[in-house]
Amino acid sequence: MKIQESAENYLETILILEQRNAHVRAIDIANELAFTKPSVSVAMKHLRENGYILIDGAGSISLTQTGLEIAQKMYERHTFLSKWLIELGVDKDIALEDACRIEHVISTESFEAIKSKLLIV
Amino acid sequence: MKIQESAENYLETILILEQRNAHVRAIDIANELAFTKPSVSVAMKHLRENGYILIDGAGSISLTQTGLEIAQKMYERHTFLSKWLIELGVDKDIALEDACRIEHVISTESFEAIKSKLLIV
DNA sequence: TAATTATGTTAGCATAAACTAACTTTTTTG
DNA sequence: CAAAAAAGTTAGTTTATGCTAACATAATTA
């Protein structure tokens, strides 16, 4: 099962929330992404079933190794792309939205190419 | 009704096929995109109902003004992004795939920002 | 011309990913 | 403690977008 864009986004959000709060619950993700509780509940079930996250007895969500790797990859892309677009003069909100969409569709090869190009220029 | 990514892609494909052939039929689009005939048939029905294309008695498909504008916008992005990625050293096939995905998710503002940046550098 | 092939359509299915409604369970708090 | 609020789940809906199966029609060709 190939990981979907939405799954990548959930994992990235969990990583961000882990850095911000002590523990991450489904409701925190729902608030962060402006999704409803049922949407998140179902999504977490899938992520758990596919080995991307763990949910303890208290409902605290954590990333597995696999989940963490994807989350970090997305987060790095997000950070880099949004910073770059903002540097180019793009409005911050638009830059963040674009980064959030591009990060899920760009290939590793293209991302790395842009990154190394930008380090040189 | 906000235009969807798939609709943008169909319109862009029609534009490309118009340049390549005398007239564009549903089957040509199906072959180009590697979709089945029914998928294209249904998609064309929607594009027609929403005023993006016209289909004459012989089944020849053409873009309306609205459809053409979207197609050209996507085509310009596609051309620019793929050329740029290839220049950065990305494999051609990957560059084309990435361009095809990024073109549908990037904002006008970010695209223009990248374009003007690249003209200067 | 008759048979074959090509093209197009309709109907219904599948999947992903959101939603609402309704419920349970847990936690606060007056 | 009892009521209210918060959190989580289940069931069923919606939309987008592809698919297959089956059919109709049109065009080629043997």
Side-chain angles (χ1 to χ4, degrees), chain A residues 10-55:
Chain A
Y10 279 117
L11 295 173
E12 183 187 355
T13 302
I14 293 167
L15 179 64
I16 291 167
L17 291 173
E18 272 181 358
Q19 295 169 357
R20 194 186 298 165
N21 312 321
H23 49 78
V24 181
R25 293 165 307 164
I27 191 71
D28 303 320
I29 300 168
N31 291 335
E32 179 73 13
L33 296 174
F35 288 161
T36 61
K37 284 185 293 152
S39 302
V40 176
S41 177
V42 172
M44 292 308 110
K45 196 178 151 195
H46 292 153
L47 290 178
R48 182 166 44 72
E49 285 170 355
N50 287 287
Y52 296 117
I53 62 170
L54 298 170
I55 309 182

Side-chain angles (χ1 to χ4, degrees), chain A:
Chain A
M1 175 243 197
K2 187 201 161 282
I3 190 155
Q4 302 301 132
E5 274 188 42
S6 98
E8 290 178 348
N9 212 42
Y10 279 117
L11 295 173
E12 183 187 355
T13 302
I14 293 167
L15 179 64
I16 291 167
L17 291 173
E18 272 181 358
Q19 295 169 357
R20 194 186 298 165
N21 312 321
H23 49 78
V24 181
R25 293 165 307 164
I27 191 71
D28 303 320
I29 300 168
N31 291 335
E32 179 73 13
L33 296 174
F35 288 161
T36 61
K37 284 185 293 152
S39 302
V40 176
S41 177
V42 172
M44 292 308 110
K45 196 178 151 195
H46 292 153
L47 290 178
R48 182 166 44 72
E49 285 170 355
N50 287 287
Y52 296 117
I53 62 170
L54 298 170
I55 309 182
D56 72 16
S60 204
I61 296 167
S62 57
L63 296 166
T64 62
Q65 184 56 37
T66 326
L68 178 63
E69 279 163 20
I70 294 164
Q72 284 175 333
K73 186 168 189 170
M74 289 306 123
Y75 187 59
E76 191 213 341
R77 289 181 179 187
H78 185 87
T79 307
F80 178 85
L81 291 171
S82 55
K83 200 189 288 185
W84 173 50
L85 290 173
I86 290 167
E87 273 171 26
L88 290 188
V90 176
D91 174 80
K92 191 186 168 188
D93 289 341
I94 294 176
L96 290 173
E97 278 172 29
D98 280 5
C100 196
R101 284 190 301 255
I102 295 172
E103 73 193 30
H104 301 294
V105 302
I106 197 170
S107 66
T108 300
E109 188 168 349
S110 290
F111 180 68
E112 293 302 326
I114 295 171
K115 229 175 54 176
S116 45
K117 175 74 176 183
L118 285 237
L119 290 178
I120 294 163
V121 171

Side-chain angles (χ1 to χ4, degrees), chain B residues 23-121:
Chain B
H23 49 79
V24 181
R25 294 164 306 161
I27 190 72
D28 303 320
I29 300 167
N31 290 335
E32 179 73 14
L33 295 174
F35 288 159
T36 61
K37 285 185 294 153
S39 300
V40 176
S41 177
V42 172
M44 292 308 109
K45 195 178 152 195
H46 293 153
L47 290 177
R48 183 167 44 73
E49 285 169 356
N50 287 287
Y52 297 116
I53 61 169
L54 297 170
I55 310 182
D56 72 16
S60 202
I61 296 167
S62 57
L63 297 165
T64 61
Q65 183 57 36
T66 326
L68 178 63
E69 279 163 19
I70 295 164
Q72 284 175 334
K73 187 169 189 170
M74 289 307 123
Y75 187 59
E76 192 212 343
R77 288 181 181 187
H78 186 87
T79 307
F80 178 85
L81 291 171
S82 55
K83 201 189 289 184
W84 173 49
L85 290 174
I86 290 167
E87 273 170 26
L88 290 187
V90 176
D91 174 79
K92 191 186 168 189
D93 289 341
I94 294 175
L96 290 173
E97 277 171 31
D98 280 5
C100 196
R101 284 190 301 255
I102 296 172
E103 73 193 30
H104 302 294
V105 301
I106 197 171
S107 66
T108 300
E109 188 168 350
S110 291
F111 180 67
E112 294 301 325
I114 295 171
K115 229 174 56 176
S116 46
K117 175 74 177 183
L118 285 238
L119 290 178
I120 294 163
V121 172

